[in-house]
Amino acid sequence: MAGAIIENMSTKKLVIVGVTLLLFQAFAFMVGGLIAPSPTTAVHYLATKCVDTGKHQQETKWFMPWGPNQCTKLRTFDEAMAKKIEANNIVFAVHIPLPNKEMSPWFQFMLVILQFDIAFKMYNQIEEGAMATIDVGLAYRDDTVSEWTEMAHSFEQRKLNCNFTTTKTFENEGRYYECDLLPFMEVGSVAHKYYLLNIRLPVNERKKINVGIGEIKDIRFVGIHQNGGFTKVWFAMKTFLTPSILIIMIWYWRRITLMSRPPVLLEKVILALGISMTFINIPVEWFSIGFNWTWMLLFGDIRQGIFYSMLLSFWIIFCGEHLMDQTERNRFSVYWKQVGPIVFGSFCLFIFDMCERGVQLTNPFYSIWASDVGTELAMAFIIVAGICACLYFLFLCFMVFQVFRNISGKRTSLPAMSKARRLHYEGLIFRFKFLMLVTLTCAAMTVIFFIISQVNEGHWHWGEHTVQVNSAFFTGIYGMWNLYVFAIMFLYAPSHKRYGDEQTSGQCITGDAGGNSGEDIQLTTTITHVDGPSEIYKMTGKAAQE
């Protein structure tokens, strides 16, 4: 009976394969570290204060902060008071990008963060729980002469969280509050060259709108988008890796189907892992360069969530199928207690994502962080997700420990084997342990990447604790996933070789002492009958009929 490739491949060839994969892994890190720029760029903008002199306009008027058709500008609000210009007639205008630059579809997304510059006044202080009501419009155009086209318009509220670090006295009037950054806008594609934001802070004392928010002097913005250079490197990696995983997956499943038995659970899960890896690899992002697909961010999150679910489930089943505790598994229902929470957690991730990025498909100014309840839920979600990821990793370590402990218990029969057989199975045990340690390393890196990416999603909401994820980490982890899936499908594919062909037909697996040890030793429980799935790590103290 033929075994798996990891069992029958010579040590020399296995080392060559391992070194090759390690070189590719190093190359994946170097691509991000040496070739690609940083994943994102942050650009700072200061809103221009424009004066709206129109009365009862029939159509929307857009105010440009600079250029040939620039608006009538104010330097300060003191100037507005001197000219008796009401707050409702002041429009804060921001042009994205800065002059003499243009946006590009290669930027993939556009995230805008808002910060108020609020001066302290004894008779106009920020009230507790103050809410700023914002009337905001977003427009776009693709050249410098055409009219602006409205893209979105909304009335939003943002809670001010500001601290005045000095004593509130008349002497300190004019000093600025320290205010938290506020989420403002997120667009899932950058299909146009120029964008324009027009923001109003309408005041209505009767309805308590924008009352008690202090004396706002300026509005600052931070625009964040993906670097075009990083996008090209990322797309190139996806384009290269997609056929690689697809080919090895087809080759792996063809070898499985050529066997005279149906595939077992572990083989099916390995195929499912390959399919999920292919799904996340397919570079559909190329279409975002030519089409205004604002749902690409949500679609990317869904793909990544499916892959995470499959990868975490695979590791549980992979370890469980190697426990050697005499429990017959090979059925998915055996693992429902372990896989069920993973599926449930992934579903919660999907719901959480739909609550923000799903709504942003129609209203890019919506943010779950804008309300107290939403902020608490989001922070709780990030913390719980991080804790669950750590608990999962600890559980996986416990399963690997159980597997290693059971292997150590089965090694007692090795001294009874002939020297050739003993060396062979000691080599198999070493290969298996090494693969389990690689699995554990990949799991640790994946959990770290998941936690950092979640924190990075909301790093503007963590105060001073800002986390920057560099390109090398992105490309390195992505390359690691592909190389790990490639290695698993290659090493667990059925081999055409037969170990022991050089042995005599009557050679027992334990040599002359084979009959003394009646204990079966196997490192997987996937063998359901005499024909398979392979002899992978199978060691028996009884006569082996090969």
Side-chain angles (χ1 to χ4, degrees), residues 291-322:
F291 298 93
N292 185 18
W293 287 356
T294 56
W295 45 265
M296 282 302 298
L297 281 179
L298 180 61
F299 180 64
D301 288 345
I302 293 173
R303 289 200 299 175
Q304 190 167 343
I306 292 174
F307 174 72
Y308 271 140
S309 302
M310 192 62 245
L311 188 64
L312 299 181
S313 301
F314 166 76
W315 282 331
I316 294 294
I317 296 173
F318 179 73
C319 292
E321 292 295 289
H322 292 80

Side-chain angles (χ1 to χ4, degrees), residues 143-342:
D143 56 64
T144 57
V145 295
S146 60
E147 294 295 325
W148 290 99
T149 302
E150 183 176 290
M151 183 174 173
H153 184 270
S154 179
F155 285 87
E156 297 292 330
Q157 286 189 324
R158 296 293 186 266
K159 183 179 180 180
L160 298 180
N161 187 9
C162 302
N163 294 315
F164 194 65
T165 56
T166 58
T167 308
K168 292 183 178 180
T169 60
F170 285 101
E171 289 76 13
N172 289 324
E173 282 192 342
R175 292 177 178 266
Y176 285 92
Y177 287 88
E178 292 184 0
C179 296
D180 288 350
L181 298 168
L182 302 173
F184 185 67
M185 181 185 75
E186 185 170 18
V187 179
S189 68
V190 189
H192 306 286
K193 294 182 179 180
Y194 308 105
Y195 292 87
L196 180 65
L197 283 169
N198 277 184
I199 300 142
R200 300 172 186 262
L201 299 175
V203 177
N204 189 320
E205 294 185 3
R206 184 174 59 86
K207 295 182 178 180
K208 300 296 182 181
I209 296 177
N210 286 331
V211 175
I213 62 174
E215 186 172 314
I216 296 177
K217 293 294 188 180
D218 284 302
I219 303 180
R220 300 181 185 273
F221 295 89
V222 180
I224 303 170
H225 59 78
Q226 187 164 296
N227 271 328
F230 178 82
T231 303
K232 293 175 182 178
V233 172
W234 190 253
F235 286 9
M237 283 191 69
K238 281 177 166 283
T239 305
F240 170 76
L241 291 171
T242 298
S244 304
I245 297 297
L246 186 61
I247 290 171
I248 192 68
M249 182 175 65
I250 295 173
W251 172 84
Y252 164 80
W253 194 244
R254 180 177 176 275
R255 286 209 166 193
I256 295 295
T257 55
L258 288 177
M259 301 187 73
S260 58
R261 54 163 183 83
V264 294
L265 176 63
L266 185 60
E267 294 167 342
K268 294 177 182 177
V269 174
I270 290 175
L271 176 67
L273 182 64
I275 293 173
S276 65
M277 190 75 256
T278 303
F279 183 54
I280 201 175
N281 277 345
I282 296 175
V284 294
E285 291 86 351
W286 282 111
F287 292 101
S288 66
I289 304 302
F291 298 93
N292 185 18
W293 287 356
T294 56
W295 45 265
M296 282 302 298
L297 281 179
L298 180 61
F299 180 64
D301 288 345
I302 293 173
R303 289 200 299 175
Q304 190 167 343
I306 292 174
F307 174 72
Y308 271 140
S309 302
M310 192 62 245
L311 188 64
L312 299 181
S313 301
F314 166 76
W315 282 331
I316 294 294
I317 296 173
F318 179 73
C319 292
E321 292 295 289
H322 292 80
L323 275 178
M324 300 178 302
D325 53 4
Q326 307 305 318
T327 301
E328 183 182 351
R329 292 180 172 84
N330 195 36
R331 299 191 314 274
F332 188 76
S333 58
V334 176
Y335 297 96
W336 72 269
K337 291 183 179 179
Q338 294 87 0
V339 176
I342 296 175

Side-chain angles (χ1 to χ4, degrees), residues 34-52:
L34 301 179
I35 299 177
S38 60
T40 57
T41 293
V43 182
H44 295 265
Y45 301 93
L46 176 63
T48 300
K49 292 178 279 292
C50 297
V51 180
D52 182 7

Side-chain angles (χ1 to χ4, degrees), residues 84-119:
K84 299 182 179 180
I85 299 173
E86 296 182 357
N88 291 325
N89 292 330
I90 297 177
V91 179
F92 295 88
V94 178
H95 186 279
I96 302 176
L98 295 171
N100 301 320
K101 297 183 182 295
E102 62 182 41
M103 303 297 282
S104 167
W106 291 102
F107 294 164
Q108 292 295 287
F109 68 88
M110 180 168 57
L111 175 67
V112 178
I113 309 297
L114 176 149
Q115 185 177 33
F116 289 109
D117 286 348
I118 304 177

